[in-house]
Amino acid sequence: MLANPNFAWMDGEIVEWKNATVHVSTDLVLRGANVFEGMRGYWNSEKKEMFIFRNAEHLKRLRQSAKIMRMSIPYDDEQLTDAFLQLIRKNGFEEGVHFRPVVYFDQGEPNYYKPEEIRTGMFILAFARPHSKAVFNGVESCTSTWRRNSDLSMPSRVKAGANYHNSRLAHVEARINGFSSPIMLNERGKVSEGPASCFMMVRDGVVITPPVTGDILESITRATLIQLFREELGIEVVEREVDRSELYIADEGFFCGSGAEVTPMISLDRYPLGTGEVGPITKKIQKLYFDVAEGKVEKYRDWLLPVYGRG
């Protein structure tokens, strides 16, 4: 469990953690009416600097989610970026950070969305979060019996809190059955993604990943890895539909996302992937991803926003 920080950001102000509250009657609480982003700050110990990874891309996706939900975000990108920086600095983080800007509907009827009908609030939570053991050791996965949200009902490309009830069902089922993060299929029975992360596999030296039309989140980490595979590692990436049974004969597999980072899948439904250990291509892309995110690859420094001004 993550330790609570000292401060949060609420509606334009940094407040003490104990005062970061909303009323129980909000649509946020009653119906899960919010959109959010999961973002990372990576610590570079040599430079004593933290870098927010792909800030602009996350803000763009936050606004896309809000647009589909017909939410009006009451702050511009410059104000939100400043809020991220101030909150991280105020908490004095000098290690990896995971933070979450959340936009929500306040009190009102379930069909209210206009600014004059219902207030739109916002808060930001930031936590110290080092790499998990699973990132390096891998996870034993399973195929969930729960299907991924359909674009025709609750679009997975909208990063909304309510969508993650679907994820919770899958996560809890996997845990009860002795597994870690599961794979979810979409309504067509094709591989979609994990409950809170996208998925990639390796077959015969080619990286394969479900398409953005496969009921997945349009993941910024996924897009980053595709670019790094092609530009830096010279590895072909194919975006196409994937059958469940194809995973059983994959050489490697891994989940990816701001939270999951690059987490290897070493088995699925008790079938080992490849040798049943973390594969060489997964190790290469994981190391490269971390080097880029920590500001060690100059070519991609425009993806990074320094927090303390030392890097």
Side-chain angles (χ1 to χ4, degrees):
M1 184 175 178
L2 299 176
N4 291 336
N6 293 321
F7 301 97
W9 185 96
M10 294 283 296
D11 293 320
E13 297 182 1
I14 292 178
V15 299
E16 290 186 14
W17 183 259
K18 65 181 180 180
N19 296 326
T21 60
V22 296
H23 198 274
V24 293
S25 65
T26 61
D27 246 29
L28 166 68
V29 175
L30 295 177
R31 303 178 184 91
N34 72 78
V35 297
F36 69 96
E37 281 297 309
M39 302 174 65
R40 282 270 189 179
Y42 282 89
W43 180 249
N44 184 312
S45 57
E46 293 182 3
K47 297 180 181 295
K48 302 296 181 184
E49 179 62 279
M50 183 181 296
F51 296 105
I52 295 176
F53 189 65
R54 306 206 74 166
N55 180 69
E57 289 83 354
H58 280 282
L59 287 173
K60 179 180 179 180
R61 190 174 64 182
L62 181 67
R63 295 193 182 279
Q64 290 174 341
S65 294
K67 178 180 181 180
I68 296 175
M69 292 291 291
R70 300 189 186 277
M71 283 182 166
S72 302
I73 299 178
Y75 305 95
D76 61 30
D77 286 0
E78 184 176 352
Q79 290 172 310
L80 292 180
T81 299
D82 184 64
F84 301 158
L85 295 173
Q86 294 303 322
L87 180 60
I88 292 172
R89 291 169 184 164
K90 184 70 172 179
N91 279 298
F93 293 121
E94 292 193 346
E95 57 184 312
V97 169
H98 190 247
F99 63 99
R100 177 173 295 190
V102 180
V103 185
Y104 68 92
F105 282 136
D106 208 311
Q107 300 176 59
E109 296 300 316
N111 65 342
Y112 284 1
Y113 69 94
K114 297 178 181 179
E116 61 268 25
E117 293 176 327
I118 187 168
R119 188 182 79 88
T120 302
M122 187 166 184
F123 59 85
I124 307 167
L125 307 178
F127 300 90
R129 187 172 179 178
H131 304 309
S132 69
K133 292 181 180 179
V135 166
F136 302 107
N137 299 335
V139 295
E140 294 182 334
S141 187
C142 63
T143 306
S144 178
T145 64
W146 296 98
R147 295 297 175 96
R148 196 68 174 122
N149 295 336
S150 166
D151 192 70
L152 298 176
S153 56
M154 295 179 68
S156 294
R157 67 165 35 87
V158 179
K159 198 169 178 65
N163 282 351
Y164 283 75
H165 295 304
N166 178 237
S167 299
R168 174 179 281 275
L169 289 169
H171 258 142
V172 171
E173 177 190 54
R175 182 181 174 189
I176 288 171
N177 291 326
F179 296 98
S180 186
S181 296
I183 274 286
M184 301 185 74
L185 308 180
N186 59 30
E187 63 176 4
R188 300 185 300 281
K190 301 297 182 180
V191 174
S192 180
E193 59 182 352
S197 54
C198 285
F199 177 76
M200 295 183 173
M201 69 177 185
V202 181
R203 288 195 66 190
D204 300 322
V206 176
V207 174
I208 301 165
T209 189
V212 294
T213 53
D215 294 318
I216 71 170
L217 178 70
E218 291 186 328
S219 165
I220 292 164
T221 308
R222 174 184 176 278
T224 298
L225 297 184
I226 289 173
Q227 184 172 343
L228 293 177
F229 270 125
R230 290 171 175 167
E231 292 185 359
E232 303 303 319
L233 301 183
I235 293 176
E236 181 183 2
V237 180
V238 177
E239 300 177 66
R240 64 163 172 81
E241 289 191 329
V242 177
D243 292 325
R244 171 183 175 177
S245 62
E246 189 177 5
L247 301 185
Y248 300 148
I249 56 175
D251 301 316
E252 303 178 39
F254 59 87
F255 294 105
C256 62
S258 296
E261 300 180 296
V262 178
T263 299
M265 176 194 289
I266 59 175
S267 68
L268 177 69
D269 299 333
R270 306 302 185 195
Y271 288 97
L273 270 62
T275 63
E277 299 179 348
V278 181
I281 290 179
T282 302
K283 288 180 179 179
K284 284 182 181 179
I285 194 63
Q286 185 186 82
K287 183 180 185 305
L288 177 58
Y289 177 70
F290 288 150
D291 283 348
V292 167
E294 292 170 10
K296 298 176 181 178
V297 183
E298 189 64 31
K299 179 179 177 180
Y300 298 100
R301 283 295 295 273
D302 61 339
W303 284 352
L304 310 180
L305 175 66
V307 172
Y308 294 109
R310 306 168 189 157

